[in-house]
Amino acid sequence: MCRLIVMSPTVSPAPAPAPTGVGAAPPPEASRDPRRPMAVRVDDLPHRLALDEARGPHATDPDRWDGLSSTAFRYGAVSLSQSTMDSRGTVQVTLDVTNTGTRAGDEVVQLYTHQRRSRVPQPPEALRGFQQVHLEAGQTRRVTFSLAASDLRIWDATRNRWVVESATQDILVGTSSADIRSRAQLEVRGDTIPPRDLRAVRAADFDGSSGTVLAGGTVVAATAAGQWLCYADADLCGGPGTFTARAAVPGDPATLQVRLDDPVHGRVVATVNLPATADVYTYADITARLPRLGGRHDVYLVFGGPARLSTFSLR
């Protein structure tokens, strides 16, 4: 896979524009770039949970002493209402939490998932729910979460839509993402994201990038030579013979290389001269012949200078 530039999970991600892609734009609810995994916003969580997420675990002892409530809690085994779930299903996640201390206290029980394999970069753990429970000394309470398949969906840039991938999900429950107390395994029967079709692509639908920025709409802007975009796992079995692109170059003429599998050492299959244009709003169509290609490859577009790219295709 290409070298994906991915944000690490963070407790307070800044909002980002919704992505654009081949066809219609994603729904308005996509208020961040779905290529970037996100954990959860601190503002969405109760105070103690925010501390857990921001500072890490208090300890890893299963009977952790909690300095805020002056008691300790034990987590029982996680039970799932079903071991498999389809893309429209819902599973109930249940476990018992016991106050093993001598005083009453409050605990914030947190539910996370970890997707073992995915075409799209995923955070190590994604918060799916939390419950704050009050327990008297020695009291046990059953805690239940409802996890819908739709909670697990991701943005598929190859087809410009939300999907639930077929995957094994680890169901994790604990006091923080770094202090998991109990876990189970869930098999999700969803969709398999296909190889990319590069016959008509909006530049902003990249899988990975280095140095470039989104310049609005479908446009990606490079500000220096060596910056690149990656379109992962592209199916070139049709033997495309022509590369075309629509670009604006407001300064000096630039170049655009098409490389396979690595932005620096990968095979160069085309080098396109990008002529200077009047300004950033004036675009020119450029075309280059390609050698005979085949197989599945990560396709890199490597800029030889400042330029803006709107669309491209390999046909």
Side-chain angles (χ1 to χ4, degrees), residues 63-76:
D63 290 319
R64 173 176 57 83
W65 183 270
D66 190 325
L68 293 177
S69 57
S70 299
T71 192
F73 299 94
R74 183 176 63 244
Y75 284 54

Side-chain angles (χ1 to χ4, degrees), residues 200-213:
V201 185
R202 294 184 180 184
D205 274 334
F206 55 83
D207 288 291
S209 67
S210 176
T212 60
V213 295

Side-chain angles (χ1 to χ4, degrees), residues 224-307:
Q227 296 177 352
W228 50 259
L229 302 171
C230 175
Y231 303 85
D233 191 28
D235 184 357
L236 304 181
C237 295
T242 304
F243 172 80
T244 61
R246 188 167 180 80
V249 185
D252 295 330
T255 60
L256 184 67
Q257 283 187 337
V258 182
R259 287 182 177 264
L260 301 184
D261 303 318
D262 187 273
V264 177
H265 304 292
R267 175 189 174 192
V268 179
V269 296
T271 299
V272 183
N273 293 317
L274 303 179
T277 59
D279 51 42
V280 295
Y281 304 108
T282 303
Y283 284 79
D285 295 320
I286 55 95
T287 302
R289 297 297 299 172
L290 298 174
R292 184 175 179 82
L293 302 174
R296 287 164 65 166
H297 297 273
D298 295 340
V299 175
Y300 287 84
L301 303 183
V302 184
F303 292 88

Side-chain angles (χ1 to χ4, degrees), residues 1 130 147 189 214 216 222:
M1 293 296 290
F130 58 88
L147 178 67
R189 309 301 184 193
L214 294 172

